[in-house]
Amino acid sequence: MISREDALRLLKQHLKNDKLVKHCLAVGAIMRAVAKELGEDEKLWELVGLLHDIDYELVGKDLSKHGLVSAELLKDKLPEDALLAIKAHNELTGVKADSRLALALRASDHASGLIIATALVMPHKKLEEVKPESLLRKFKQKDFARSIKRERILSCEKMGIPLDKFLSIALKALQDIHRDLGL
């Protein structure tokens, strides 16, 4: 399995957009925290989060390939269950998210967007200003961060983590890496 340092190098080799790199860092941090909560492999789960969008710039507008190309790029670097989770995080691939790892990736991917969007509407645009209650309110506001798919975040409940607890775990994970995210 690839090391975190090699994963970061690979990520930066394939993604030139700094916002995409930060998104991957955020999802990796959330995945690590969720793995810890569930007693899963924290290193593996973080790597899945870090590398899930590695193909985003390669596939361009053909999002039906997004996740499939990532899995191909990573086939000798991650185990099969990780590759399946990466494929399944994009519904357009037709791969079902039926493992805890895949469900966690779907939930973490969109939770990162909700948390960052919430931070950006705070007075100082800082993650430290975001409270779990704010996230729950923003989650319920359908006109806030419309591209965030709430049903994907709710995948957390299929893993046995209630929404409020999941959002608290995810928020803490991002607050812990706020310097890396510039928030």
Side-chain angles (χ1 to χ4, degrees), residues 158-171:
K158 293 178 184 174
M159 296 181 295
I161 304 175
L163 176 64
D164 58 340
K165 185 171 186 177
F166 177 76
L167 290 175
S168 292
I169 291 167
L171 174 60

PDB file of all heavy atoms in Angstrom, residues 158-171:
ATOM      1  N   LYS A 158     -26.176   4.790   7.552  1.00  0.00           N
ATOM      2  CA  LYS A 158     -26.059   3.389   7.148  1.00  0.00           C
ATOM      3  C   LYS A 158     -24.819   2.744   7.754  1.00  0.00           C
ATOM      4  O   LYS A 158     -24.716   1.522   7.802  1.00  0.00           O
ATOM      5  CB  LYS A 158     -26.009   3.267   5.618  1.00  0.00           C
ATOM      6  CG  LYS A 158     -27.291   3.665   4.936  1.00  0.00           C
ATOM      7  CD  LYS A 158     -27.157   3.558   3.434  1.00  0.00           C
ATOM      8  CE  LYS A 158     -28.415   4.045   2.749  1.00  0.00           C
ATOM      9  NZ  LYS A 158     -28.250   4.074   1.292  1.00  0.00           N
ATOM     10  N   MET A 159     -23.887   3.578   8.207  1.00  0.00           N
ATOM     11  CA  MET A 159     -22.682   3.074   8.887  1.00  0.00           C
ATOM     12  C   MET A 159     -22.889   3.020  10.398  1.00  0.00           C
ATOM     13  O   MET A 159     -22.003   2.620  11.126  1.00  0.00           O
ATOM     14  CB  MET A 159     -21.480   3.993   8.607  1.00  0.00           C
ATOM     15  CG  MET A 159     -21.055   4.044   7.182  1.00  0.00           C
ATOM     16  SD  MET A 159     -19.624   5.137   6.973  1.00  0.00           S
ATOM     17  CE  MET A 159     -20.290   6.736   7.412  1.00  0.00           C
ATOM     18  N   GLY A 160     -24.052   3.499  10.852  1.00  0.00           N
ATOM     19  CA  GLY A 160     -24.340   3.482  12.281  1.00  0.00           C
ATOM     20  C   GLY A 160     -23.935   4.749  13.014  1.00  0.00           C
ATOM     21  O   GLY A 160     -23.880   4.763  14.244  1.00  0.00           O
ATOM     22  N   ILE A 161     -23.645   5.819  12.275  1.00  0.00           N
ATOM     23  CA  ILE A 161     -23.298   7.093  12.915  1.00  0.00           C
ATOM     24  C   ILE A 161     -24.429   8.087  12.644  1.00  0.00           C
ATOM     25  O   ILE A 161     -24.689   8.421  11.488  1.00  0.00           O
ATOM     26  CB  ILE A 161     -21.973   7.665  12.373  1.00  0.00           C
ATOM     27  CG1 ILE A 161     -20.825   6.654  12.521  1.00  0.00           C
ATOM     28  CG2 ILE A 161     -21.622   8.965  13.100  1.00  0.00           C
ATOM     29  CD1 ILE A 161     -19.515   7.113  11.890  1.00  0.00           C
ATOM     30  N   PRO A 162     -25.101   8.565  13.693  1.00  0.00           N
ATOM     31  CA  PRO A 162     -26.161   9.562  13.491  1.00  0.00           C
ATOM     32  C   PRO A 162     -25.603  10.836  12.842  1.00  0.00           C
ATOM     33  O   PRO A 162     -24.425  11.182  13.037  1.00  0.00           O
ATOM     34  CB  PRO A 162     -26.664   9.858  14.910  1.00  0.00           C
ATOM     35  CG  PRO A 162     -26.150   8.744  15.763  1.00  0.00           C
ATOM     36  CD  PRO A 162     -24.920   8.224  15.096  1.00  0.00           C
ATOM     37  N   LEU A 163     -26.438  11.526  12.087  1.00  0.00           N
ATOM     38  CA  LEU A 163     -26.023  12.716  11.341  1.00  0.00           C
ATOM     39  C   LEU A 163     -25.321  13.740  12.227  1.00  0.00           C
ATOM     40  O   LEU A 163     -24.244  14.227  11.863  1.00  0.00           O
ATOM     41  CB  LEU A 163     -27.230  13.366  10.650  1.00  0.00           C
ATOM     42  CG  LEU A 163     -26.937  14.668   9.907  1.00  0.00           C
ATOM     43  CD1 LEU A 163     -25.978  14.433   8.744  1.00  0.00           C
ATOM     44  CD2 LEU A 163     -28.241  15.297   9.420  1.00  0.00           C
ATOM     45  N   ASP A 164     -25.892  14.082  13.373  1.00  0.00           N
ATOM     46  CA  ASP A 164     -25.278  15.112  14.208  1.00  0.00           C
ATOM     47  C   ASP A 164     -23.885  14.698  14.680  1.00  0.00           C
ATOM     48  O   ASP A 164     -22.952  15.504  14.670  1.00  0.00           O
ATOM     49  CB  ASP A 164     -26.175  15.496  15.387  1.00  0.00           C
ATOM     50  CG  ASP A 164     -26.531  14.326  16.290  1.00  0.00           C
ATOM     51  OD1 ASP A 164     -26.424  13.153  15.868  1.00  0.00           O
ATOM     52  OD2 ASP A 164     -26.936  14.592  17.442  1.00  0.00           O
ATOM     53  N   LYS A 165     -23.715  13.440  15.021  1.00  0.00           N
ATOM     54  CA  LYS A 165     -22.395  12.959  15.453  1.00  0.00           C
ATOM     55  C   LYS A 165     -21.419  12.949  14.276  1.00  0.00           C
ATOM     56  O   LYS A 165     -20.261  13.341  14.414  1.00  0.00           O
ATOM     57  CB  LYS A 165     -22.513  11.564  16.056  1.00  0.00           C
ATOM     58  CG  LYS A 165     -21.211  11.060  16.643  1.00  0.00           C
ATOM     59  CD  LYS A 165     -21.398   9.768  17.417  1.00  0.00           C
ATOM     60  CE  LYS A 165     -20.104   9.383  18.110  1.00  0.00           C
ATOM     61  NZ  LYS A 165     -20.263   8.195  18.929  1.00  0.00           N
ATOM     62  N   PHE A 166     -21.878  12.507  13.115  1.00  0.00           N
ATOM     63  CA  PHE A 166     -21.024  12.480  11.932  1.00  0.00           C
ATOM     64  C   PHE A 166     -20.524  13.880  11.588  1.00  0.00           C
ATOM     65  O   PHE A 166     -19.329  14.087  11.331  1.00  0.00           O
ATOM     66  CB  PHE A 166     -21.768  11.878  10.732  1.00  0.00           C
ATOM     67  CG  PHE A 166     -20.962  11.895   9.472  1.00  0.00           C
ATOM     68  CD1 PHE A 166     -19.931  10.990   9.273  1.00  0.00           C
ATOM     69  CD2 PHE A 166     -21.213  12.834   8.486  1.00  0.00           C
ATOM     70  CE1 PHE A 166     -19.160  11.010   8.113  1.00  0.00           C
ATOM     71  CE2 PHE A 166     -20.459  12.869   7.323  1.00  0.00           C
ATOM     72  CZ  PHE A 166     -19.434  11.951   7.137  1.00  0.00           C
ATOM     73  N   LEU A 167     -21.430  14.856  11.596  1.00  0.00           N
ATOM     74  CA  LEU A 167     -21.027  16.224  11.272  1.00  0.00           C
ATOM     75  C   LEU A 167     -20.045  16.772  12.310  1.00  0.00           C
ATOM     76  O   LEU A 167     -19.119  17.498  11.958  1.00  0.00           O
ATOM     77  CB  LEU A 167     -22.246  17.134  11.123  1.00  0.00           C
ATOM     78  CG  LEU A 167     -23.109  16.874   9.886  1.00  0.00           C
ATOM     79  CD1 LEU A 167     -24.355  17.754   9.903  1.00  0.00           C
ATOM     80  CD2 LEU A 167     -22.328  17.074   8.597  1.00  0.00           C
ATOM     81  N   SER A 168     -20.224  16.410  13.564  1.00  0.00           N
ATOM     82  CA  SER A 168     -19.286  16.842  14.618  1.00  0.00           C
ATOM     83  C   SER A 168     -17.905  16.228  14.400  1.00  0.00           C
ATOM     84  O   SER A 168     -16.878  16.911  14.542  1.00  0.00           O
ATOM     85  CB  SER A 168     -19.812  16.454  16.004  1.00  0.00           C
ATOM     86  OG  SER A 168     -20.957  17.192  16.314  1.00  0.00           O
ATOM     87  N   ILE A 169     -17.877  14.942  14.061  1.00  0.00           N
ATOM     88  CA  ILE A 169     -16.602  14.264  13.776  1.00  0.00           C
ATOM     89  C   ILE A 169     -15.915  14.914  12.580  1.00  0.00           C
ATOM     90  O   ILE A 169     -14.713  15.199  12.616  1.00  0.00           O
ATOM     91  CB  ILE A 169     -16.845  12.758  13.501  1.00  0.00           C
ATOM     92  CG1 ILE A 169     -17.289  12.040  14.782  1.00  0.00           C
ATOM     93  CG2 ILE A 169     -15.605  12.093  12.899  1.00  0.00           C
ATOM     94  CD1 ILE A 169     -17.851  10.636  14.540  1.00  0.00           C
ATOM     95  N   ALA A 170     -16.677  15.159  11.535  1.00  0.00           N
ATOM     96  CA  ALA A 170     -16.126  15.754  10.309  1.00  0.00           C
ATOM     97  C   ALA A 170     -15.620  17.171  10.569  1.00  0.00           C
ATOM     98  O   ALA A 170     -14.533  17.543  10.102  1.00  0.00           O
ATOM     99  CB  ALA A 170     -17.174  15.740   9.206  1.00  0.00           C
ATOM    100  N   LEU A 171     -16.388  17.956  11.309  1.00  0.00           N
ATOM    101  CA  LEU A 171     -15.985  19.325  11.621  1.00  0.00           C
ATOM    102  C   LEU A 171     -14.678  19.338  12.413  1.00  0.00           C
ATOM    103  O   LEU A 171     -13.750  20.078  12.088  1.00  0.00           O
ATOM    104  CB  LEU A 171     -17.085  20.040  12.406  1.00  0.00           C
ATOM    105  CG  LEU A 171     -16.742  21.444  12.918  1.00  0.00           C
ATOM    106  CD1 LEU A 171     -16.395  22.380  11.766  1.00  0.00           C
ATOM    107  CD2 LEU A 171     -17.912  21.995  13.745  1.00  0.00           C
TER     108      LEU A 171
END
